[in-house]
DNA sequence: TAGTTGACATACATGATGTATGTCAAGAGG
DNA sequence: CCTCTTGACATACATCATGTATGTCAACTA
């Protein structure tokens, strides 16, 4: 009933990931020293190199954990929505607001792609993005939205949300920016709704 | 008529920026050694630290130069278009395709934001982004598109284009992905066109 | 109880950045 | 034409970060 060995391992990994989240978010990946990161966790670099594949490996683990939390939060929001379309849009709005949090923005959205490359090719690619694409496909099958290429469209939409969040977080009045961005986002998303026959004007 | 001193300086800076473009694009910012970068330019790190504010400073200069070239190419495309709306969309399509080039993608779109932060707050913020916003405002004044917040919308659109390009460049069939992405992008942009009265259905 | 595994710490080698100092040619002035 | 000063660039040095190799001691196994 005392601390078994496996428990210690789990605890150590958790401490390292936790310190990683704090330090990466506060100082950025490049400016983070593993020495002080591990010291903050009450460990040494030896532990880190034993459990993870170096600095990169820790970043991957940190991003995985943050992504899991994001997914959970988004799923909850989706479940509380009335329709699938409403859930889809609510999720995106929530995503934009979440992406304003420094931990997510700095670690997942800025350093992540720079260090690990294209998010859609990560080992465990961002579950949030997959949710967006899945929703699009379901909505198309339901006939709730127009037929488009779900993959391409989901990348466009998540990209819009990403840069939008970056803008919000760095503006002097984030509240106002957030409202304006969500409003504009809904305009863009409205193009997914099915067209009444012939109602769309030809481009000027 | 011989090499004057000012000419040498310009030449040296150009050599450093040129080497920076190559090396940053090929190996990424973090993995680039200033020693080999300057050696490739036939110089030493002393020259670099004399002319630029360290590694960051060189990156800024490199991005400035690339951005200037992008702007030039985009302006040309805009000028060859019939209407402002067509110029706007042509520009975006061209942007997506340009952002597929490794130099632009790696240096400007991945490492740039990670090292220098939010692009819209860069010392000389990306001219391309400003062009998008300017176009939106003009189109709104003309009455060619609906009234939206130009700033928010331009961030959304450029973000969509950015992540879309990232996807294209890392897919196994870039040609096909490019077509699909442009098609989806045009769907999203169609939401900017003015609505015939009451033709837009309420959301389900 | 003794032996083995492995979690983690310590020690070391390598290389990168940034800075301080040195050198030598280009331009200014008498 | 000669000297002095400026500054473009190179060299030398200090610091520090990563990664790896080695060591140690507690936990499981037989």
């Amino acid at each position: 009933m005392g601390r078994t060995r496996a428990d210690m391992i789990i605890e150590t990994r958790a401490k390292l990931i936790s310190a990683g989240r704090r330090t990466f978010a506060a100082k950025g990946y490049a400016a983070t020293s593993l020495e002080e990161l591990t010291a903050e966790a009450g460990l040494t670099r030896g532990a880190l190199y034993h459990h993870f594949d170096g600095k990169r490996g820790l970043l991957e683990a940190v991003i995985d954990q943050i992504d899991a939390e994001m997914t959970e939060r988004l799923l909850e929001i989706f479940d509380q929505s009335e329709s699938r379309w409403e859930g889809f849009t609510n999720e995106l709005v929530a995503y934009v607001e979440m992406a304003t949090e420094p931990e997510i923005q700095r670690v997942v959205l800025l350093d992540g792609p720079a260090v690990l490359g294209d998010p859609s090719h990560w080992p465990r690619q961002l579950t949030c993005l997959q949710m967006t694409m899945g929703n699009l496909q379901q909505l198309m099958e339901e006939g709730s939205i127009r037929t488009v290429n779900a993959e391409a469209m989901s990348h466009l939409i998540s990209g819009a949300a990403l840069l939008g969040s970056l803008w919000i977080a760095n503006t002097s009045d984030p509240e106002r920016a957030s409202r304006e961005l969500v409003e504009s986002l809904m305009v863009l998303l409205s193009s997914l709704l099915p067209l009444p026959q012939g109602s769309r004007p030809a481009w000027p």
Side-chain angles (χ1 to χ4, degrees), chain A:
Chain A
M1 150 161 274
R3 302 258 142 275
T4 171
R5 195 169 196 178
D7 289 339
M8 298 292 289
I9 296 177
I10 292 177
E11 192 182 325
T12 298
R13 287 180 57 101
K15 277 195 278 194
L16 287 172
I17 291 179
S18 167
R21 288 177 67 144
R22 275 196 307 276
T23 315
F24 286 156
K27 320 184 56 170
Y29 177 83
T32 291
S33 155
L34 293 186
E35 197 74 51
E36 71 175 314
L37 187 155
T38 50
E40 192 178 333
L43 297 162
T44 68
R45 284 180 24 246
L48 192 150
Y49 280 95
H50 185 75
H51 286 289
F52 301 96
D53 189 15
K55 205 177 182 183
R56 263 184 145 72
L58 180 62
L59 180 65
E60 285 182 26
V62 164
I63 287 180
D64 265 10
Q65 197 184 73
I66 296 178
D67 178 51
E69 293 176 10
M70 290 174 71
T71 303
E72 196 180 358
R73 289 164 69 182
L74 290 179
L75 271 180
E76 195 176 349
I77 285 169
F78 183 81
D79 288 340
Q80 287 172 354
S81 304
E82 307 267 319
S83 67
R84 184 174 288 278
W85 168 260
E86 196 187 320
F88 174 67
T89 56
N90 285 347
E91 244 182 55
L92 278 175
V93 171
Y95 178 80
V96 166
E97 278 158 10
M98 283 190 341
T100 285
E101 303 166 20
E103 205 175 50
I104 294 176
Q105 182 166 115
R106 175 85 241 180
V107 180
V108 181
L109 306 180
L110 281 179
D111 285 330
V115 176
L116 307 175
D118 180 19
S120 50
H121 284 68
W122 289 354
R124 284 186 47 178
Q125 75 180 77
L126 285 186
T127 318
C128 331
L129 297 193
Q130 289 178 295
M131 284 172 56
T132 300
M133 188 164 65
N135 272 333
L136 277 176
Q137 265 160 341
Q138 299 261 5
L139 284 165
M140 285 179 355
E141 285 170 17
E142 280 181 14
S144 303
I145 63 171
R146 295 167 60 178
T147 299
V148 294
N149 184 284
E151 205 178 355
M153 185 58 84
S154 64
H155 282 275
L156 286 174
I157 292 175
S158 58
L162 195 163
L163 261 273
S165 313
L166 209 62
W167 173 64
I168 291 178
N170 290 288
T171 214
S172 59
D173 186 352
E175 292 296 325
R176 178 182 180 79
S178 182
R179 280 198 309 275
E180 286 167 348
L181 190 98
V182 166
E183 195 179 344
S184 294
L185 180 61
M186 296 311 280
V187 169
L188 282 183
L189 292 180
S190 72
S191 63
L192 294 175
L193 295 172
L195 296 177
Q197 300 285 18
S199 71
R200 167 71 57 211
W203 293 336

